[in-house]
Amino acid sequence: GEDVEQSLFLSVREGDSSVINCTYTDSSSTYLYWYKQEPGAGLQLLTYIFSNMDMKQDQRLTVLLNKKDKHLSLRIADTQTGDSAIYFCAETTMNTGFQKLVFGTGTRLLVSP
Amino acid sequence: GAVVSQHPSRVICKSGTSVKIECRSLDFQATTMFWYRQFPKQSLMLMATSNEGSKATYEQGVEKDKFLINHASLTLSTLTVTSAHPEDSSFYICSARPRRTDTEAFFGQGTRLTVV
């Protein structure tokens, strides 16, 4: 079955790096995503990684994938107060024909000045 | 990125009435649209997947007669909460997958439903 877990809360100071972690159980995961949700809003796709990659960098964002340990992380460099939000990792798997997004529990990131 | 518009953003209705929520892909055609429900401080739970022109596929535990989904065109899907009750109060979010890709899905801004 599919199960995606995240730590619930992360607090950092402005200018520091943030690392948000995610673990998943389905070994057939093919695409893994990071979404950002601000209060009362929908989800914004930040980045995604294909499971045959182990790293992807996009400006301040770095995604690391350890397929052996089924561990995904999102590093935000030079974190700003505007980065405060809930971050969800999500996966699609071969089992569902890549149709279904399974979301993690979400990590609330609080950035203090 | 592609834009998905969801309407209304907030709705308050009386118990026993029905509410319709619209999800539109504004600048792309969406063969597949998804409806999610999110409880406070929780993750998104997929309710159903709809493909244009065919019946929606509901997740286990979701009542199809209560949550009616119509995907009549490649740019519009609607979710109707029938005979709403206070326990249906929640945040409902749609997402749409463009025809051109099977990797990306774009989300609407969500609808906060309050049933009183």
Side-chain angles (χ1 to χ4, degrees):
Chain A
E2 309 131 347
D3 196 17
V4 184
E5 297 283 340
Q6 297 177 240
S7 51
L8 290 179
F9 188 75
L10 176 65
S11 179
V12 300
R13 288 195 178 275
E14 195 171 25
D16 289 349
S17 292
S18 308
V19 179
I20 301 171
N21 295 301
C22 172
T23 58
Y24 59 96
T25 57
D26 196 321
S27 57
S28 72
S29 291
T30 302
Y31 291 100
L32 294 131
Y33 303 80
W34 284 104
Y35 285 89
K36 177 183 180 182
Q37 185 181 34
E38 299 191 43
L43 272 68
Q44 175 195 352
L45 176 65
L46 294 176
T47 186
Y48 66 91
I49 189 168
F50 188 53
S51 60
N52 68 352
M53 300 166 65
D54 51 23
M55 185 179 111
K56 182 177 180 181
Q57 187 155 2
D58 184 1
Q59 299 182 332
R60 292 192 297 126
L61 305 179
T62 303
V63 178
L64 295 178
L65 175 61
N66 182 328
K67 200 173 178 185
K68 174 176 166 290
D69 294 339
K70 299 190 185 76
H71 182 266
L72 181 75
S73 68
L74 174 70
R75 179 176 179 271
I76 306 172
D78 188 25
T79 315
Q80 303 297 305
T81 53
D83 294 325
S84 293
I86 301 176
Y87 290 80
F88 291 96
C89 66
E91 62 174 359
T92 56
T93 70
M94 195 182 301
N95 293 341
T96 60
F98 313 118
Q99 286 289 307
K100 183 176 163 179
L101 269 172
V102 177
F103 284 87
T105 45
T107 299
R108 184 177 296 273
L109 173 65
L110 178 64
V111 183
S112 53
Chain B
V3 178
V4 175
S5 175
Q6 197 172 330
H7 178 80
S9 56
R10 289 179 179 273
V11 58
I12 300 173
C13 71
K14 289 187 177 178
S15 218
T17 61
S18 295
V19 173
K20 182 186 280 188
I21 303 169
E22 292 188 348
C23 179
R24 291 180 186 273
S25 55
L26 296 186
D27 51 1
F28 65 95
Q29 292 185 329
T31 47
T32 308
M33 287 189 171
F34 306 86
W35 287 96
Y36 294 85
R37 184 172 179 177
Q38 185 180 31
F39 291 102
K41 298 185 180 177
Q42 292 190 29
S43 189
L44 282 75
M45 300 302 296
L46 180 65
M47 298 174 67
T49 303
S50 74
N51 292 295
E52 186 261 339
S54 60
K55 287 185 180 179
T57 303
Y58 289 80
E59 294 297 302
Q60 196 170 4
V62 178
E63 299 174 59
K64 63 174 99 173
D65 293 331
K66 181 163 187 64
F67 298 100
L68 300 178
I69 291 171
N70 184 284
H71 191 163
S73 77
L74 283 171
T75 59
L76 174 64
S77 176
T78 60
L79 167 68
T80 302
V81 183
T82 62
S83 186
H85 290 284
E87 57 265 30
D88 298 324
S89 298
S90 193
F91 194 57
Y92 292 87
I93 308 178
C94 71
S95 76
R97 172 165 285 149
R99 233 181 166 159
R100 63 180 183 272
T101 177
D102 61 1
T103 59
E104 296 180 58
F106 300 94
F107 285 77
Q109 66 269 44
T111 297
R112 169 77 57 197
L113 170 64
T114 304
V115 185
V116 297

